Amino acid sequence: MKPFIYTITLLVFSTPLLQAQTRKFSYSEMKMGSAFNLIIVSADSNKANHLARKSYELVDSLNHIFSNYDSSSELSKINASAGLLPYKMSSAMLDLVQKSQYAYIQSKGAYDISIGPLSSLWRNARKAKLFPEASTVLATKKLVGLNQVKINKRLGTIFLPNANMQLDFGGIAKGYIAQWVINFLKANGIQQALVDAGGDIVMSGAPLNQQGWLIGVNLPETTDDLLNKKLQLSNCSVATSGDVFQFIEYKGVKYSHIINPLTGYGVTNLRNVTIVAKTGATADWLATACSILPIKEAKQLAISHQAALLITTLKNGKLVFEATPNFKNYWQTTNIIQGKK
């Protein structure tokens, strides 16, 4: 799902300063294994700097809850209690678990935070460059299935019944945390901001006098080549998934790090999936689920969540586009662009 950077990089384009007193303040720190970029629009540099610092502190505190790379995180403690006893969750953990459970149900299992054992299996396979045996994949897949996990919302507890089960919030945590930061900034008077959590982007109001934040979307199988049109967005989130960063090749077939929990294998389509949705968590998990589902079902899922979907597929060297009808509403309608940030 997304244990590392699984989103294709979305590039944010800057525009000229149109107001003398108000400007963009840009910040970047390494968080959760990738660059965590923040743009705050404000007339007060001290306020912007203070809120940026507090935003990164918030990111650290949330990452300490959801990270599976931090041995002292709450997620690590939940995984360590697998097969032993229920774990009492923090309010933030309970909230994300409930959102993840909803995503699991809505996607018919295509998005599944219990993917942890398969994530570990394929991560090790990529490192060793050794394709796992089918019997190993099958045995590991039996450990996956959020329907096996016992979630008691009233008590706020979670129990993984098998000692080898693991939760993995790749594919939802970065978008969720980015949304927290935007909500935090809004609560502190910042109405124009953008957060880019390793490619999961959440934004509030359009910057300065612009109609929206301009976002570039990568072509399949590339890190730098962009579609010739850009998205113009505000008060929403966008996430793109693809396999350019992490995959394993076996017998001429690329297996993406985006794992289908229903088969146990990485998806093999050369597909980029871009989702525009209301919140970061929704865009994040939909991008994963729509990378796995057949195109028709992916479109239906996106539309049912008031999201817009663009699928860009490379077939025989040619680009093929599939989109929900509402995606056209987000293409750039102005020509103000002065380079990229």
Side-chain angles (χ1 to χ4, degrees), residues 4-210:
F4 2 70
I5 304 174
Y6 114 70
T7 51
I8 295 300
T9 304
L10 294 177
L11 300 177
V12 181
F13 291 78
S14 63
T15 54
L17 295 179
L18 299 180
Q19 298 179 11
Q21 295 182 338
T22 304
R23 53 175 292 208
K24 294 178 182 176
F25 297 90
S26 299
Y27 310 87
S28 183
E29 292 189 14
M30 291 298 296
K31 300 291 181 185
M32 298 179 288
S34 59
F36 194 105
N37 303 313
L38 173 61
I39 301 175
I40 294 174
V41 180
S42 176
D44 186 338
S45 61
N46 290 330
K47 180 177 182 179
N49 291 338
H50 172 73
L51 290 177
R53 185 170 62 254
K54 290 297 182 182
S55 293
Y56 284 121
E57 290 175 3
L58 175 61
V59 172
D60 288 338
S61 67
L62 291 169
N63 189 47
H64 186 60
I65 295 174
F66 305 123
S67 174
N68 60 347
Y69 290 93
D70 178 354
S71 60
S72 64
S73 72
E74 183 173 348
L75 176 58
S76 293
K77 292 175 182 177
I78 290 174
N79 288 337
S81 68
L84 298 175
L85 71 169
Y87 185 91
K88 175 69 174 179
M89 295 179 282
S90 66
S91 58
M93 177 62 78
L94 175 60
D95 183 47
L96 189 55
V97 164
Q98 288 181 290
K99 284 180 168 58
S100 301
Q101 186 180 44
Y102 174 81
Y104 173 79
I105 294 169
Q106 293 295 305
S107 68
K108 298 178 181 179
Y111 181 75
D112 189 342
I113 59 170
S114 72
I115 196 79
L118 283 170
S119 296
S120 297
L121 173 68
W122 287 102
R123 185 184 306 124
N124 293 333
R126 285 192 298 272
K127 288 180 180 178
K129 297 183 180 179
L130 185 64
F131 201 81
E133 296 288 339
S135 58
T136 302
V137 175
L138 179 61
T140 306
K141 188 171 77 71
K142 291 179 179 179
L143 299 171
V144 175
L146 194 58
N147 58 317
Q148 302 177 54
V149 176
K150 309 302 179 184
I151 301 168
N152 189 317
K153 297 177 183 178
R154 182 178 63 85
L155 298 177
T157 61
I158 187 167
F159 178 58
L160 312 184
N162 189 303
N164 293 313
M165 295 185 77
Q166 300 174 41
L167 301 185
D168 184 340
F169 288 112
I172 194 168
K174 285 187 177 180
Y176 181 78
I177 290 173
Q179 187 69 57
W180 263 72
V181 173
I182 285 293
N183 293 346
F184 166 75
L185 293 172
K186 283 184 178 180
N188 284 275
I190 300 297
Q191 301 301 320
Q192 299 168 313
L194 179 143
V195 175
D196 177 0
D200 292 310
I201 298 178
V202 183
M203 67 214 75
S204 49
L208 305 174
N209 290 331
Q210 305 308 297

